[in-house]
Amino acid sequence: MSFVPTDWEDDDRMNFMFSAFPENRNVNPKHWDSKLNFWTTAVCEMCQSRGEFCTDLNTLRQRFTRNGHVPLGLKIVLREMLRTQKLQTVEDIQSHVNDDWLSWSYGYMRKSFSWTVGTMLWGGNESDRILDNQNFVLTQELQKKADLLLKMHYKAVEHEATDHVVPWNVLKMRCSSAGLLFSDMHLEIVLCHLQRQRMVFVHSTKEGEKVIKFCKKNQSKVVVITDTDLDIMRLKKMVAVLTLQVKKLSKNIESCREKAKECVNQGLRKSALAILKKKESYQKSLDRTTGSLLTLEELLHRIQESETDKMIVETLKSGSSALRAIQEGMNASDVDKVLMDVEGTLEDAEDIQQSLTQGNKAISDQTGGDDMEELERELEALSLSVKAQEEPEEKFKNSLGAETRLPQYHAMDDNALFGTQLPSVPLHSPTSSSSNITTVQKKAALLAE
């Protein structure tokens, strides 16, 4: 077994898990829930590891056999999983299929009938209703497969108008190419699940062909298949058939050309002529088929473009309605009147600004004339005073000569200034006001004279 549940090698725990459930959960709820959770998880993980979403009781018994022993409570586990909707019966899924798709296999119909008969005969014991070969579907794994199928389809869509209706055989080929290895039975189950979610609609044509229509991305649920959908599907099928015919005829023409060359090389002129006549027949068929194919492809292209044209028209219509709603209550005369009012208001504001500027200047000229004259006189007096203070110093500097400079007391100490050793600074307070005059101050006074 590729998948092994947790504690599979623990004999004591597995003996407990393989034993039967008590008849009543109330006897030991803890043990009951522990065993139920273990097997529920084991069933889900086993199917997930194998990429499956369908199982039955016989399969579970075979895969969970350990040392020749089979779990005794699997019927109760399946019953509880059905009750909590972790499992579904095929009958439940099939009950949501539309009436015109009645193509379920005989085996499924027989199993559903057996389920109904068993329910009627065995009555209240629900675990006894579970048949050994009855198929069950794991809801979570089924949803994953359905999501993968939808993703695959939307990836293949190139034109919204024509690509959402897919024949059954085409869908199977796409699934196989995408790595979704569904059997017919499993693909039907997935489509039934999607149909219950209103994501697909399955239809059988008069010719007995099964057709699937997928929901568009911009729709919340799928729309039923119409005659237009079927006509577009037939058109696409005919384009595909004619494309194959064109390829086959082209291949036949090339083959005839090669054979005719061989006959010419061998000197078989009559055989070569016969082959060339056959080639000419193929060529005429190819011309007719190519013409028909081009016509159908052009028609299909117009249909595909019509969806885009429709969306553009609807968008323009919505935009026009929105613009009309915004401009409701507005007209050209009202706009002209508003603009004229704005222009007049701006002119008035400009006039007010000019008036304020001129008025402020006039007031400044009237009140500030005398003050300016007074300030000018005061500035002239200050200039004369500064000039008078600078003149004695200039005369003194000139009297000293070009190389003599007045010592800068603040830049030299007292010893450098007078060339003598000055007494130390006294440590006691002076006794009279006359002692405040130091020797330095006296010499400075003499020098100033």
Side-chain angles (χ1 to χ4, degrees):
M1 182 173 62
S2 58
F3 169 76
V4 177
T6 306
D7 300 331
W8 189 253
E9 302 300 329
D10 189 338
D11 292 337
D12 293 337
R13 179 165 175 75
M14 288 301 102
N15 288 336
F16 168 71
M17 292 301 172
F18 273 62
S19 62
F21 281 82
E23 293 184 2
N24 191 339
R25 178 181 176 275
N26 295 330
V27 174
N28 195 332
K30 182 178 180 180
H31 286 184
W32 175 288
D33 294 340
S34 175
K35 189 179 298 185
L36 178 63
N37 292 335
F38 174 84
W39 287 115
T40 299
T41 303
V43 170
C44 294
E45 291 182 351
M46 183 270 296
C47 292
Q48 184 178 6
S49 67
R50 302 175 67 92
E52 300 174 345
F53 61 89
C54 287
T55 190
D56 57 68
L57 185 58
N58 280 338
T59 301
L60 294 177
R61 285 172 174 168
Q62 294 174 4
R63 292 179 179 174
F64 289 127
T65 298
R66 182 179 182 273
N67 297 332
H69 298 285
V70 177
L72 299 179
L74 285 179
K75 280 191 174 184
I76 294 178
V77 173
L78 294 179
R79 183 195 69 189
E80 292 298 317
M81 292 179 72
L82 285 170
R83 186 180 62 83
T84 56
Q85 296 184 353
K86 294 180 180 179
L87 280 182
Q88 300 179 67
T89 63
V90 174
E91 182 188 35
D92 291 336
I93 298 175
Q94 184 186 3
S95 62
H96 295 84
V97 177
N98 49 292
D99 295 338
D100 63 345
W101 187 32
L102 302 176
S103 61
W104 286 93
S105 63
Y106 171 74
Y108 267 168
M109 297 297 293
R110 178 172 53 83
K111 292 170 186 176
S112 298
F113 176 76
S114 299
W115 169 270
T116 305
V117 171
T119 301
M120 296 175 61
L121 293 178
W122 290 311
N125 192 352
E126 296 180 359
S127 60
D128 289 339
R129 303 176 193 172
I130 296 176
L131 304 178
D132 292 348
N133 59 349
Q134 183 181 4
N135 276 279
F136 297 96
V137 179
L138 277 80
T139 304
Q140 185 176 1
E141 296 302 315
L142 175 60
Q143 185 60 49
K144 291 180 181 179
K145 298 297 184 182
D147 292 339
L148 289 175
L149 183 62
L150 287 177
K151 183 178 180 180
M152 179 208 69
H153 167 71
Y154 290 131
K155 187 177 180 180
V157 171
E158 295 181 359
H159 303 281
E160 291 289 326
T162 60
D163 294 353
H164 286 291
V165 178
V166 184
W168 171 265
N169 58 341
V170 175
L171 183 61
K172 286 184 61 179
M173 291 176 58
R174 290 180 181 177
C175 290
S176 179
S177 301
L180 299 177
L181 304 179
F182 292 133
S183 63
D184 288 355
M185 178 185 71
H186 290 163
L187 184 56
E188 286 181 343
I189 293 175
V190 173
L191 290 175
C192 281
H193 179 68
L194 288 174
Q195 192 165 357
R196 179 165 56 180
Q197 296 177 339
R198 302 293 188 269
M199 296 302 296
V200 303
F201 187 88
V202 185
H203 174 75
S204 292
T205 64
K206 295 179 180 179
E207 296 81 9
E209 183 180 15
K210 200 181 304 180
V211 180
I212 298 93
K213 182 176 182 179
F214 288 84
C215 179
K216 297 181 180 180
K217 283 189 175 181
N218 59 350
Q219 296 177 341
S220 59
K221 61 180 181 179
V222 67
V223 181
V224 297
I225 293 180
T226 63
D227 292 337
T228 301
D229 294 327
L230 296 176
D231 291 339
I232 293 174
M233 185 194 69
R234 294 187 184 99
L235 177 61
K236 291 180 66 177
K237 287 180 63 177
M238 183 55 62
V239 169
V241 170
L242 292 180
T243 301
L244 292 177
Q245 288 183 4
V246 167
K247 291 181 179 180
K248 184 178 180 180
L249 288 171
S250 299
K251 186 177 179 180
N252 291 338
I253 291 172
E254 185 63 26
S255 176
C256 289
R257 185 179 290 110
E258 294 296 329
K259 290 179 180 179
K261 287 181 180 180
E262 293 178 0
C263 290
V264 170
N265 292 334
Q266 295 174 5
L268 303 174
R269 295 181 59 84
K270 291 184 178 181
S271 299
L273 287 174
I275 294 174
L276 288 177
K277 289 182 180 180
K278 187 176 183 181
K279 182 184 79 67
E280 186 66 20
S281 176
Y282 284 145
Q283 186 63 50
K284 292 180 180 179
S285 298
L286 177 62
D287 293 340
R288 290 194 302 270
T289 305
T290 303
S292 300
L293 177 61
L294 291 176
T295 302
L296 294 180
E297 286 180 338
E298 178 63 22
L299 180 58
L300 183 61
H301 177 71
R302 294 291 182 88
I303 294 173
Q304 292 168 346
E305 291 297 322
S306 66
E307 183 73 15
T308 303
D309 295 340
K310 181 180 178 181
M311 292 175 61
I312 293 174
V313 172
E314 291 178 352
T315 303
L316 290 174
K317 183 178 179 181
S318 300
S320 177
S321 300
L323 182 60
R324 188 182 300 108
I326 293 173
Q327 294 180 343
E328 185 177 1
M330 296 175 57
N331 53 58
S333 60
D334 292 339
V335 174
D336 292 339
K337 182 178 179 182
V338 171
L339 293 176
M340 292 178 62
D341 292 342
V342 172
E343 184 178 359
T345 302
L346 293 176
E347 291 177 354
D348 294 342
E350 183 66 22
D351 294 340
I352 291 172
Q353 290 295 330
Q354 292 181 359
S355 299
L356 289 175
T357 302
Q358 295 174 359
N360 289 334
K361 184 177 180 181
I363 294 172
S364 177
D365 293 342
Q366 293 177 2
T367 59
D370 297 337
D371 293 340
M372 291 299 296
E373 293 178 0
E374 183 66 25
L375 292 175
E376 290 290 343
R377 289 194 296 271
E378 184 176 355
L379 180 60
E380 183 66 23
L382 289 174
S383 299
L384 294 175
S385 176
V386 171
K387 186 176 182 181
Q389 292 177 0
E390 291 177 350
E391 286 180 353
E393 183 176 355
E394 291 294 331
K395 291 180 181 180
F396 177 74
K397 290 181 180 179
N398 294 333
S399 65
L400 292 178
E403 296 181 358
T404 306
R405 295 292 184 268
L406 183 66
Q408 298 296 323
Y409 177 73
H410 64 275
M412 304 173 62
D413 59 11
D414 294 341
N415 295 333
L417 181 62
F418 300 104
T420 59
Q421 182 68 32
L422 297 179
S424 303
V425 178
L427 301 176
H428 58 275
S429 300
T431 56
S432 65
S433 59
S434 60
S435 61
N436 290 336
I437 303 175
T438 64
T439 305
V440 177
Q441 291 173 331
K442 290 179 180 180
K443 292 182 179 181
L446 292 173
L447 182 60
E449 293 176 357

